Amino acid sequence: MPVWNIIQAVNDALRIEMRRDPRVVILGEDVGKFGGVFRATTGLFDEFGGDRVFDTPLAEAGIIGSAIGMALYGLRPVPEIQFADFIYPAYDQIVNELAKFRYRSGGQYPVPVVIRTPYGGGIRGGHYHSQSPEAYFAHTPGLKVVIPSNPYDAKGLLLSSIRGEDPVIFMEPKRVYRAAKGEVPEGDYTVPLGKAKVVREGSQLTVLCYGAMVHTCVEAAQLAEKDGFDPEIIDLRTLLPLDTETVLESVRKTGRVVIAHEAPKTCGYGAELAAMIAEKALMSLEAPISRVAGFDTPFPYTLENEYMPSPDRVALAIKQTAQF
Amino acid sequence: MLAKGQPVPIAGTDDEPFSILADDGTIRPGTDAPEIPDEQALKLYRGMLQVRLVDDRMMKLQRQGRLGFYMLSMGEEATHFGGAYPLRMSDWCFPSYREPGVFFWRGYSIKDYVNQLHGNIEDPVKGRQMPVHHSANWLNMVSISSPVGTQIPQAVGLAMGAKISKKDDVSLVYFGEGATSTGQFHVAMNFAGVFKAPCILFCRNNGWAISTPGNKQTASKSIAIKALAYGMPGIRVDGNDLLAIIAVMQDAVARARAGEGPTLIEAVTYRRGGHSSSDDPSAYRDPSEPKEWEAKDPLERWRRHLESRKLWTQELHDKYSQEITEELMACVKAAGELGNPAPETLFDDVFAELPPHLEEQKAEMMSRPRPKPAHGGH
Ligand SMILES: Cc1ncc(C[n+]2csc(CCOP(=O)(O)OP(=O)(O)O)c2C)c(N)n1
Ligand SMILES: [Mg+2]
């Protein structure tokens, strides 16, 4: 099995699906001949031509609005938004249109558009190349939100997303785009949406995370392990719909929860996780739920490492929660 | 009264950008060139040279890993100074990330510039933004934002504010041709036209938006022609011809001050370097293209012009280069030795006053051991 990074896995998923399904088209800024600023669409223009892989003018509202139109006509557009930080010009099209088309038309007009976008910090990008806007989308009824942490999942989840019937915000953890490597089967396979994965079994407490934070949490677990702690780590993989079963099963076992994400704490996705756990498993809890998150400030430049939840910070939360 | 009696290159009526300086630096016969006093003409030369030298040095620092990121304006310097020169200090400018010359012309120091790139303790924006995202409120230079095009309606609004306040200040906003594809550009043009805002909308058409060429941004014959639909003059000017840009700017500023409303200027130039230090243009464009544009270099053209006016000498050039380089090297050294903004400043300026939840987060952060800095400029 080849060992690939996330970029290669995404690229392979797109290629497989474009070969299999002539309805799949890719559009976005610099995604054509150049292959995207992160090179995720490399080679696709050459193989599938400019009708199916094309550069658009610089306008995110145009990219998503036109993708919706293509989907209405029966295509399967997979638009790329160059950085999640630049998705906001398309916010109206995503939140008011894409998410609501099926519902508002009484089921007449589904719009299966999969929006790929790199997100997250740790790349010296300052506040316009580092944001994690997943909560805005998870808060919007009608959108699925998928965030892989590794190449295997990236490929399998992207194939599931494109084959699904619903709009998906597919957020790619750019900090580990190349750093996260792993074995990826060459052919076709899918990873189902809505299924979390236990990446480290443990008895003492449950760490919930997704995307690049999974790697931070695994490192944190290694640090905590040295001091005799035994955390369980769950990679959520899909934020919406959430795999509550896997989460609750673990929480009932451990009775303690640490949630980690890069996005600001207030109304971040961790708030939803904490509320869900409080609703469904309060009696299993033996300690307050702990959130390790970005601060409620814009993402900084120089002080990025202060802002980003680090392995040390997560390890501290693990220890404090375990010892509560 | 457009472009000093020249055939009005309004909105598609003229394919050739308006130009005053011939390639050899002489004034094209029959053109009515603005008068630039000797001392100002040399100052403009020194300014463009400064941008060139600073860019070159900063790009090297970036390559050495001493700066996180950089963006060059090589070949586009005339658009900075041509835009800045006709303004008063009470006028305002909304730059994009590729007009450092406007900052310098208005008095931004090399020291401030280099400190911003380092995001150190003396960075005027306190290490909050990536390199090249300057802000200088003492110069009416508005904070640069990465999201493309957002500054355009803001500049129109500022101009509306001046008009509402019965002042004759104007605003100048810069953006690339890629930005003309955004909704921001179109709402700005519409507002500017409807409210007759005293605003100059200045498009640096440098041919490329990262890997996307200009002909994929618009099916219009030019950017300037778009002005027609919004009810304002649109002018195509040679973006490497400092004198021509000054001429059309002076005209646009005069019209704006006189209450005659906005102007769209399209300066036709070329992005000779990569989009940024993260970009490799050899992956998408023929290297002969930037080579061709080297021959149209704006600094060299202005140099020839000064030579034709008997103002330029090699000694003067060397003196300028040396002064700039010395100042620059001193600033780079100092910037690299300065520390980062204090960790607790992370929480400043989110609001006018620190609310309780941020107070709590700050206390929590300060109670922990400090992580390694991401980049201290060393
Ligand atoms: C809204 C938005 N979308 C995408 C980007 C990523 N991006 C940064 S610069 C750029 C190209 C801009 O081209 P242009 O407007 O021509 O300016 P130039 O870089 O040529 O000066 C793109 C796509 C962004 N910064 N903002
Ligand atoms: Mg451009």
Side-chain angles (χ1 to χ4, degrees):
Chain A
M1 241 189 275
V3 172
W4 277 345
N5 63 32
I6 295 179
I7 296 277
Q8 291 167 309
V10 164
N11 186 259
D12 192 49
L14 293 170
R15 180 174 291 103
I16 286 177
E17 203 51 14
M18 291 192 80
R19 283 180 185 164
R20 205 185 67 94
D21 184 349
R23 299 171 304 167
V24 176
V25 295
I26 290 175
L27 63 156
E29 292 155 14
D30 306 292
V31 299
K33 203 163 116 201
F34 182 47
V37 296
F38 290 102
R39 319 316 305 275
T41 57
T42 301
L44 301 179
F45 174 89
D46 289 337
E47 179 169 347
F48 301 103
D51 282 345
R52 293 184 64 197
V53 185
F54 51 94
D55 291 335
T56 65
L58 201 174
E60 288 74 13
I63 294 170
I64 303 306
S66 67
I68 291 172
M70 291 170 213
L72 290 171
Y73 196 70
L75 298 185
R76 293 270 164 162
V78 187
E80 175 181 296
I81 297 295
Q82 201 163 79
F83 284 84
D85 313 70
F86 305 136
I87 205 166
Y88 305 114
Y91 201 61
D92 200 20
Q93 286 291 345
I94 296 171
V95 169
N96 271 334
E97 301 297 319
L98 183 64
K100 297 177 173 67
F101 240 107
R102 179 192 290 277
Y103 193 79
R104 81 177 194 217
S105 63
Q108 293 173 19
Y109 285 121
V111 275
V113 173
V114 177
I115 302 175
R116 290 183 40 251
T117 190
Y119 85 96
I123 61 147
R124 298 174 157 211
H127 43 233
Y128 295 123
H129 298 81
S130 306
Q131 294 173 47
S132 298
E134 64 272 14
Y136 297 134
F137 302 113
H139 185 64
T140 301
L143 299 176
K144 291 184 172 171
V145 180
V146 178
I147 310 186
S149 68
N150 61 68
Y152 179 89
D153 286 347
K155 178 171 166 180
L157 288 168
L158 185 53
L159 284 168
S160 289
S161 298
I162 303 173
R163 289 172 195 175
E165 299 304 321
D166 295 307
V168 175
I169 310 293
F170 193 89
M171 296 175 56
E172 300 170 2
K174 66 176 173 291
R175 177 165 68 86
V176 294
Y177 250 160
R178 292 192 169 79
K181 294 197 177 104
E183 291 195 338
V184 179
E186 261 172 294
D188 195 339
Y189 69 92
T190 56
V191 172
L193 304 195
K195 286 268 171 267
K197 185 177 165 197
V198 178
V199 295
R200 182 191 191 280
E201 283 193 32
S203 58
Q204 224 174 5
L205 87 171
T206 303
V207 179
L208 301 175
C209 52
Y210 48 88
M213 264 302 120
V214 173
H215 302 273
T216 304
C217 291
V218 167
E219 267 186 69
Q222 286 159 359
L223 293 174
E225 203 175 50
K226 286 191 201 135
D227 296 329
F229 295 93
D230 182 27
E232 176 145 297
I233 300 179
I234 297 180
D235 177 352
L236 297 177
R237 301 198 290 195
T238 305
L239 272 51
L240 207 127
L242 175 67
D243 182 357
T244 50
E245 207 175 306
T246 302
V247 172
L248 290 173
E249 196 181 315
S250 176
V251 173
R252 290 198 180 104
K253 176 176 81 176
T254 64
R256 293 163 201 269
V257 183
V258 170
I259 301 165
H261 58 62
E262 291 178 35
K265 186 172 187 177
T266 297
C267 294
Y269 191 70
E272 176 56 33
L273 290 170
M276 187 280 287
I277 293 165
E279 278 172 355
K280 304 210 164 151
L282 186 68
M283 294 311 163
S284 304
L285 290 181
E286 290 166 42
I289 297 171
S290 168
R291 282 182 286 166
V292 185
F295 298 117
D296 290 338
T297 72
F299 198 104
Y301 177 68
T302 305
L303 297 173
E304 165 168 64
N305 285 3
E306 297 277 1
Y307 182 94
M308 291 273 290
S310 61
D312 284 338
R313 220 167 120 192
V314 178
L316 188 66
I318 289 174
K319 292 174 196 175
Q320 286 171 346
T321 303
Q323 286 172 331
F324 184 85
Chain B
M1 48 175 272
L2 284 155
K4 306 249 166 180
Q6 292 313 306
V8 176
I10 254 204
T13 54
D14 194 341
D15 282 334
E16 275 303 302
F18 175 67
S19 165
I20 292 179
L21 286 181
D23 283 347
D24 66 2
T26 57
I27 290 174
R28 290 180 201 278
T31 51
D32 187 2
E35 294 279 333
I36 313 286
D38 290 354
E39 173 208 339
Q40 294 292 309
L42 286 169
K43 198 176 158 210
L44 287 163
Y45 180 80
R46 195 185 189 281
M48 290 202 285
L49 181 65
Q50 177 170 316
V51 171
R52 188 68 58 91
L53 294 175
V54 168
D55 268 358
D56 187 56
R57 174 57 51 181
M58 295 306 108
M59 206 60 191
K60 288 196 178 107
L61 280 194
Q62 198 283 333
R63 294 291 180 240
Q64 292 164 6
R66 291 166 68 192
L67 286 181
F69 177 81
Y70 195 68
M71 292 177 103
L72 282 179
S73 5
M74 195 196 351
E76 301 181 41
E77 296 89 345
T79 63
H80 310 177
F81 292 88
Y85 180 79
L87 297 185
R88 305 188 303 221
M89 285 309 287
S90 62
D91 295 327
W92 287 62
C93 177
F94 289 70
S96 86
Y97 43 72
R98 221 187 285 285
E99 298 94 17
V102 183
F103 279 88
F104 290 143
W105 184 258
R106 291 173 75 84
Y108 197 64
S109 66
I110 294 182
K111 179 165 168 260
D112 285 338
Y113 187 82
V114 172
N115 285 334
Q116 194 286 328
L117 302 180
H118 283 75
N120 63 26
I121 193 163
E122 301 226 341
D123 167 8
V125 298
K126 307 181 188 172
R128 299 270 167 69
Q129 287 224 72
M130 280 177 96
V132 310
H133 291 67
H134 305 272
S135 182
N137 65 352
W138 66 99
L139 304 172
N140 289 352
M141 295 294 296
V142 178
S143 167
I144 297 170
S145 173
S146 316
V148 164
T150 46
Q151 73 278 22
I152 316 174
Q154 297 162 4
V156 172
L158 186 129
M160 289 164 66
K163 191 172 165 182
I164 291 166
S165 310
K166 312 230 177 322
K167 294 274 171 52
D168 68 351
D169 295 326
V170 307
S171 72
L172 165 67
V173 56
Y174 282 96
F175 47 91
E177 83 294 342
T180 67
S181 297
T182 66
Q184 310 281 2
F185 169 76
H186 294 276
V187 298
M189 289 290 286
N190 196 39
F191 269 55
V194 167
F195 292 104
K196 278 197 149 208
C199 182
I200 296 105
L201 299 102
F202 193 112
C203 176
R204 271 183 306 95
N205 182 353
N206 63 7
W208 292 91
I210 310 186
S211 79
T212 307
N215 64 8
K216 288 193 182 175
Q217 294 293 350
T218 181
S220 301
K221 207 168 130 189
S222 69
I223 302 296
I225 196 175
K226 294 172 192 283
L228 202 57
Y230 290 102
M232 70 177 82
I235 300 170
R236 252 185 133 216
V237 62
D238 181 340
N240 291 14
D241 179 343
L242 181 58
L243 211 48
I245 300 172
I246 289 175
V248 300
M249 268 296 297
Q250 282 179 335
D251 201 61
V253 169
R255 286 171 19 78
R257 278 209 219 293
E260 291 169 39
T263 304
L264 173 65
I265 294 176
E266 174 190 7
V268 182
T269 179
Y270 189 80
R271 196 196 79 206
R272 271 165 44 198
H275 171 70
S276 72
S277 55
S278 315
D279 183 35
D280 170 17
S282 71
Y284 53 79
R285 76 180 182 194
D286 188 339
S288 68
E289 207 182 272
K291 269 257 161 308
E292 272 168 41
W293 279 83
E294 263 179 56
K296 304 178 197 168
D297 186 67
L299 180 58
E300 173 58 17
R301 206 183 310 177
W302 191 244
R303 190 196 67 75
R304 287 178 188 162
H305 174 66
L306 296 186
E307 207 168 33
S308 78
R309 285 170 63 175
K310 308 252 180 301
L311 291 174
W312 189 90
T313 61
Q314 185 65 47
E315 295 77 70
L316 197 60
H317 171 92
D318 293 345
K319 177 171 156 312
Y320 289 163
S321 294
Q322 196 187 341
E323 284 167 5
I324 294 163
T325 307
E326 274 169 18
E327 183 180 352
L328 181 59
M329 298 313 278
C331 292
V332 167
K333 185 164 181 294
E337 285 162 4
L338 286 169
N340 287 337
E344 57 271 30
T345 64
L346 186 60
F347 298 91
D348 297 345
D349 303 316
V350 182
F351 298 104
E353 282 169 31
L354 199 65
H357 72 291
L358 285 181
E359 193 83 68
E360 189 186 318
Q361 292 182 13
K362 180 169 158 179
E364 188 260 322
M365 185 187 94
M366 295 311 290
S367 73
R368 286 188 274 105
R370 300 269 63 77
K372 272 204 322 266
H375 32 80
H378 303 291

